[in-house]
Amino acid sequence: MSLDYAILGFLNYKPMTGYDLKKVFDDSVRHFWYADQSQIYRTLNRLNEQGWVQREVIEQDNRPDRKQYSITGQGREALQKWLISQPAEEAPHSSPLIQVFFAGQFPDEVVVKMFEFLDKAMDQQLAQYGEIPEKIEEYRRMLHSDREMYFWNATLDLGVRIAKVQQEWARDLISDLKDHRVPQK
Amino acid sequence: MSLDYAILGFLNYKPMTGYDLKKVFDDSVRHFWYADQSQIYRTLNRLNEQGWVQREVIEQDNRPDRKQYSITGQGREALQKWLISQPAEEAPHSSPLIQVFFAGQFPDEVVVKMFEFLDKAMDQQLAQYGEIPEKIEEYRRMLHSDREMYFWNATLDLGVRIAKVQQEWARDLISDLKDHRVPQK
DNA sequence: GTATTATATATGCTATCTCCTATATAATAT
DNA sequence: ATATTATATAGGAGATAGCATATATAATAC
């Protein structure tokens, strides 16, 4: 699974705990990969059994011990192999588009509201994207590499471009609806 | 789940079997919703138990009996309620972007190949999108409604716009890499 | 002649995901 | 004072997805 490799990718920068990983995921790749907390812990256990990561327990008082994971040679090999492999195309699943697809049965005013909602949602998303560079800044030191940052930013750039396209699309549809260019039943 | 409502959406046009549905899905909404065959059958069974669809068995010789499903009043209510509801935002998951995100560790030539692959993949996707209108044409009669077709086409239009944006993005990155505008390690 | 595609449904198995909940303390915010 | 957030990990339960496979015949393609 891809989560495996995303985790390995981060551990390849430096050893981390499940807790650390959850934060890094949320700060840096949330715009294209949401990682569930319990899933991160379960995956780390599995990767450890597989020998792709190594666990080091750091004892603490008053708190659960930190379990720090580092990538192993095998893990690094698997990661690099996967990173340059051709991605198996994923089966698309977009429920908002199901709504659009069957929207024809509703009157124009109702459909306009649907697209206005999408328009605003894209505003919010773009605003959220705007905050990511600051969060990422904290990790610049961890990476100490402008090259890495370039590709981190590239994924964000794509997110922004897609959000804008979706917004334009929604707005074009709103215009069509308001100017009565959409056929009636 | 959204598959429930996509199925109800189609059954709202006319009664169909699982086999019919699989074809309609593949012909019309594959660009944003891939439906697994076994999942369609299982979902139909569940929807039947829920009372959202009704099953009529049509006996056949030499073949398994056709099990034709029609939407019920309850099902139609549920469908309409869902269609105009605000979509719960989905957790994004894009493995190709994981590859981009961690691409910095590879030399320029390797990364260029990754993006060239994406560029070509978008060409193929756009070509596939080009074939959809013909396939959809068969269903125009089923719908006998230009209004419905308008929204079918809208989903396709969005797919095309996004594919083009991704392609531009990939090409921009290729230029940056080839012109040495991407920082080295 | 042989292989594939179309017609039609169904189940087993596994992986995985998501949600919720549990535990425990310190520090910060209101 | 009280509530929330940060630190840290983990498991149960249920839903669903995906893949493979089974069955059986007719028609079409090569």
Side-chain angles (χ1 to χ4, degrees):
Chain A
M1 274 284 53
S2 306
L3 177 60
D4 294 20
Y5 300 102
I7 288 176
L8 289 177
F10 284 119
L11 294 185
N12 197 27
Y13 295 138
K14 70 166 192 192
M16 278 188 262
T17 67
Y19 190 78
D20 298 335
L21 280 165
K22 174 61 178 163
K23 271 194 294 188
V24 180
F25 269 89
D26 285 348
D27 286 346
S28 66
V29 298
R30 213 200 178 292
H31 57 293
F32 68 84
W33 196 279
Y34 175 77
D36 184 74
Q37 175 264 348
S38 65
Q39 202 55 26
I40 289 175
Y41 283 96
R42 273 191 256 251
T43 302
L44 283 169
N45 277 320
R46 183 164 45 75
L47 293 178
N48 187 50
E49 281 163 33
Q50 271 176 247
W52 288 6
V53 302
Q54 251 180 342
R55 176 191 289 154
E56 190 200 345
V57 179
I58 299 162
E59 286 181 42
Q60 294 195 127
D61 300 334
N62 304 333
R63 295 233 165 127
D65 295 345
R66 287 172 64 83
K67 295 185 178 170
Q68 193 165 267
Y69 296 88
S70 17
I71 193 167
T72 62
Q74 272 177 63
R76 193 167 285 117
E77 240 180 83
L79 171 64
Q80 288 179 350
K81 197 176 149 194
W82 182 83
L83 282 179
I84 55 167
S85 71
Q86 289 178 7
E89 28 186 334
E90 289 155 71
H93 286 118
S94 164
S95 15
L97 282 184
I98 295 177
Q99 294 182 316
V100 174
F101 192 80
F102 293 111
Q105 59 182 283
F106 298 102
D108 284 2
E109 316 86 66
V110 175
V111 187
V112 165
K113 273 183 202 147
M114 281 173 56
F115 290 116
E116 281 174 347
F117 178 79
L118 186 67
D119 182 12
K120 273 176 212 149
M122 288 306 107
D123 272 336
Q124 280 173 30
Q125 200 162 98
L126 286 165
Q128 276 170 26
Y129 287 173
E131 290 167 20
I132 296 179
E134 295 169 44
K135 285 184 190 166
I136 287 186
E137 190 52 36
E138 301 170 35
Y139 295 98
R140 188 181 283 275
R141 267 152 289 160
M142 179 172 107
L143 297 177
H144 50 78
S145 159
D146 288 337
R147 184 171 176 79
E148 308 281 352
M149 292 307 291
Y150 178 87
F151 291 105
W152 284 37
N153 284 319
T155 64
L156 187 56
D157 176 38
L158 178 63
V160 170
R161 292 190 194 202
I162 288 179
K164 282 184 182 165
V165 159
Q166 284 191 54
Q167 194 167 50
E168 277 167 34
W169 173 77
R171 288 179 181 171
D172 287 348
L173 286 164
I174 292 170
S175 304
D176 277 8
L177 285 157
K178 288 198 171 161
D179 300 347
H180 308 293
R181 279 194 297 272
V182 177
Q184 296 302 309
K185 275 240 158 154
Chain B
M1 274 285 50
S2 306
L3 177 60
D4 295 20
Y5 300 103
I7 287 175
L8 289 175
F10 284 119
L11 294 184
N12 197 27
Y13 294 140
K14 70 166 192 192
M16 277 187 264
T17 66
Y19 189 80
D20 298 334
L21 281 165
K22 175 62 178 161
K23 270 194 294 188
V24 180
F25 269 90
D26 285 348
D27 286 347
S28 66
V29 298
R30 213 199 177 293
H31 56 293
F32 65 83
W33 196 278
Y34 174 77
D36 183 74
Q37 175 262 350
S38 66
Q39 202 55 27
I40 289 175
Y41 283 96
R42 274 193 257 251
T43 301
L44 283 169
N45 278 321
R46 182 164 45 75
L47 293 177
N48 187 51
E49 281 162 31
Q50 272 176 247
W52 287 7
V53 303
Q54 251 179 344
R55 176 191 287 154
E56 191 200 345
V57 179
I58 299 162
E59 288 180 41
Q60 293 194 126
D61 300 333
N62 305 332
R63 297 237 163 125
D65 295 343
R66 286 172 65 85
K67 294 186 179 168
Q68 192 165 269
Y69 295 88
S70 18
I71 194 168
T72 63
Q74 272 177 62
R76 193 168 284 117
E77 241 179 84
L79 171 65
Q80 288 178 349
K81 197 177 149 195
W82 182 83
L83 282 179
I84 56 167
S85 72
Q86 289 177 6
E89 28 185 335
E90 290 154 70
H93 286 116
S94 164
S95 17
L97 282 184
I98 296 178
Q99 294 183 315
V100 174
F101 192 80
F102 293 111
Q105 59 182 283
F106 299 102
D108 284 3
E109 317 85 68
V110 174
V111 187
V112 165
K113 272 182 204 149
M114 281 174 56
F115 290 116
E116 281 174 347
F117 178 78
L118 187 66
D119 181 13
K120 272 176 212 148
M122 288 306 109
D123 272 337
Q124 280 173 30
Q125 200 163 97
L126 286 166
Q128 275 169 26
Y129 286 173
E131 289 167 21
I132 296 178
E134 295 169 43
K135 285 184 190 164
I136 288 186
E137 190 52 36
E138 300 169 34
Y139 294 99
R140 188 182 281 278
R141 268 152 286 161
M142 181 172 105
L143 297 177
H144 50 77
S145 159
D146 289 337
R147 184 173 177 78
E148 309 281 355
M149 291 307 292
Y150 179 87
F151 291 105
W152 282 40
N153 284 318
T155 64
L156 186 56
D157 176 37
L158 178 62
V160 170
R161 292 189 193 203
I162 289 179
K164 282 184 182 164
V165 159
Q166 285 192 53
Q167 194 167 49
E168 277 167 35
W169 172 77
R171 288 178 179 172
D172 287 348
L173 287 164
I174 292 170
S175 304
D176 277 8
L177 285 157
K178 289 199 170 162
D179 301 347
H180 309 293
R181 279 195 296 272
V182 177
Q184 295 304 309
K185 274 241 159 153

